[in-house]
Amino acid sequence: MKTLLDDQARSKATGGGMTGETLAIRGGRPLTGRVEVKGAKNLATKAMVAALLGETVSVLRDVPDISDVQVVRSLLEVHGVTVQQGDEEGSLVFDPSGAVSAHFEEIDAHAGASRIPILFCGPLLHLLGEALIPDLGGCRIGDRPINFHMDALRAFGAIVDKTYEGIRITAPNGLHGADIELPYPSVGATEQVLLTAVRAKGVTELRNAAIEPEIMDLIAVLQKMGAIISYEPNRVILIEGVESLRGYDHRCIFDRNEAASWACAALATDGDIYVGGAKQQEMLTFLNVYRKAGGEFDVHEDGIRFRRGSALKPVVVETDVHPGFMTDWQQPLIVALTQAPGTSIVHETVYENRLGFTEALVQMGADIVVHPQGIDSPDRRVPRRALEQAAVINGPTPLHGADVVVPDLRGGYSYLIAALAAEGESVVRNVGIIRRGYEKLFTKLDALGADFDVIG
Ligand code: EPU
């Protein structure tokens, strides 16, 4: 018998010994129905940090109910920001008037595995003259470098000290506008510069900036607060620092990563999924690849319907910064490509180690070979990066159930849809990680007709 746990029921079940971390999934049936996507994780968490910069209350709407939002909420609370439920479901109200410094241990206790504490630097430096980033043992942050962030903060006049507890950043003489060129259009480093430059004295010119739709939405949030930000062609952003900022009232941009994930679930399981809240503009690149891979979609006013066309087809994809094919889209797409006749190639150019999740797909019957140093293929669009990898997927291969452990957010989601596409039963462990970025996951899977039990 099915045991369905939504977020509320889950906490009750936890008392009964189940944590909602392990699912038994019986696959082989198409996912069909409608799901709604809310605000983007990768905007909501940053807009929450921006609330620290305002002198009045901010309201953020369509905030997804995910654990990453909880992490940022508690980090704000540790810094004296009051966070309350707003006047509509999914809205949060932030009052930064009581903002205070926090200690390394407190920040560390609330930060979890999140990288968001890095983005508190600019706002805290303006507010309190000091920001702390915990770095216990050095590996938590060291695995994903923060050199672009630290170099940018130094350019604004901050002093970065490494201590045994972590990194202490101070700005005894305040922060001034800077001339910064990022070595790579990093999303986080661009956000760092925006959140710092808006109140720095003078003009900041940022070159080689990331221009993801979530960054543009963060710029919209900051402009509502009183910031003066313009952008020019070729990834140049200009920020004129202002004396003070006020609070904002903002509805988050939709989560295009979640929308793409459900789209791939429809493709992989031969289902038919209407993703309410999905919009075309921000997904143009994804939709092109989806069509080339044999997917069909219909764009409507309030969402996009996704399903297979007549047949799946192999594709060659390179992940890239926007407007390229996002690195967060490749994992669920790869599951669908295991069912396409022929050879597909996915070049991962953004992160150096984001294809390891395919090992579990191989365990489920997929034919995927990862080339750790990348491979050359004709007609590359993205210049080859030193750290890239490539996956060669030969299909179609029937998938069968397996016992797998979720490694990370997007890889974990791809295990879910692989298990749903596979014949037989799978056990998927560590599902809690997927809740970092997918709200009401079990409720949505249930609405789509997935056959699963929460077994631990
Ligand atoms: N990089 C450096 N030094 C830095 C910063 C980045 O070398 O100081 C490198 C990274 O190692 C990586 C590349 O630059 O190779 C791009 O990293 P970026 O800074 O753009 O990534 P991020 O800001 O840490 C965000 C999203 C990711 C998403 C990437 C790319 C958030 C919280 N995370 O990460 O989302 O994959 O941009 O679009 O916004 C996810 O949602 O699961 C996720 C990982």
Side-chain angles (χ1 to χ4, degrees), residues 229-423:
I229 305 173
S230 52
Y231 47 87
E232 298 184 346
N234 296 327
R235 301 187 174 279
V236 176
I237 300 181
L238 294 172
I239 307 121
E240 295 177 38
V242 295
E243 278 285 309
S244 64
L245 294 168
R246 55 183 174 272
Y248 62 79
D249 187 332
H250 189 79
R251 192 171 294 283
C252 300
I253 188 174
F254 79 102
D255 198 315
R256 64 200 173 110
N257 289 344
E258 185 180 351
S261 299
W262 292 117
C264 291
L267 208 55
T269 65
D270 200 4
D272 188 339
I273 301 182
Y274 195 103
V275 183
K279 296 195 172 75
Q280 182 181 18
Q281 279 296 327
E282 292 78 3
M283 299 188 73
L284 281 179
T285 307
F286 175 82
L287 294 174
N288 286 334
V289 173
Y290 197 76
R291 179 166 279 157
K292 285 189 199 170
E296 284 278 353
F297 56 89
D298 309 314
V299 178
H300 296 267
E301 276 285 295
D302 66 342
I304 305 180
R305 178 184 170 200
F306 294 97
R307 61 198 184 284
R308 271 190 203 177
S310 50
L312 292 182
K313 294 176 209 136
V315 288
V316 177
V317 184
E318 301 160 70
T319 67
D320 195 8
V321 294
H322 189 76
F325 190 89
M326 274 199 84
T327 167
D328 301 87
W329 295 337
Q330 52 93 345
Q331 301 84 346
L333 180 72
I334 283 180
V335 179
L337 294 178
T338 66
Q339 303 310 303
T343 302
S344 296
I345 305 176
V346 174
H347 300 275
E348 170 55 56
T349 79
V350 179
Y351 286 106
E352 63 271 27
N353 186 19
R354 225 178 175 183
L355 289 169
F357 76 97
T358 55
E359 271 178 32
L361 301 183
V362 171
Q363 202 187 321
M364 296 173 92
D367 177 353
I368 304 175
V369 177
V370 173
H371 297 257
Q373 314 303 326
I375 48 172
D376 288 315
S377 70
D379 306 324
R380 286 289 303 266
R381 196 181 75 89
V382 183
R384 187 130 181 220
R385 285 189 84 202
L387 293 172
E388 71 178 46
Q389 295 186 297
V392 176
I393 305 125
N394 283 305
T397 47
L399 298 178
H400 52 77
D403 191 328
V404 293
V405 182
V406 166
D408 61 57
L409 177 63
R410 308 293 170 197
Y413 180 92
S414 80
Y415 289 5
L416 284 187
I417 58 173
L420 288 159
E423 285 302 325

Side-chain angles (χ1 to χ4, degrees), residues 49 65 410:
V49 177
D65 183 10
R410 308 293 170 197

Side-chain angles (χ1 to χ4, degrees), residues 41-42 45-46 115-116 144-149 184-189 191 212 257 326-328 350-352 354 385 409-410 436:
K41 164 177 93 68
N42 292 349
T45 45
K46 327 298 171 60
R115 295 190 95 212
I116 298 290
R144 280 165 77 180
I146 56 166
N147 51 332
F148 304 166
H149 296 252
Y184 183 77
S186 149
V187 169
E191 292 159 345
E212 268 65 5
N257 289 344
M326 274 199 84
T327 167
D328 301 87
V350 179
Y351 286 106
E352 63 271 27
R354 225 178 175 183
R385 285 189 84 202
L409 177 63
R410 308 293 170 197
R436 276 190 43 220

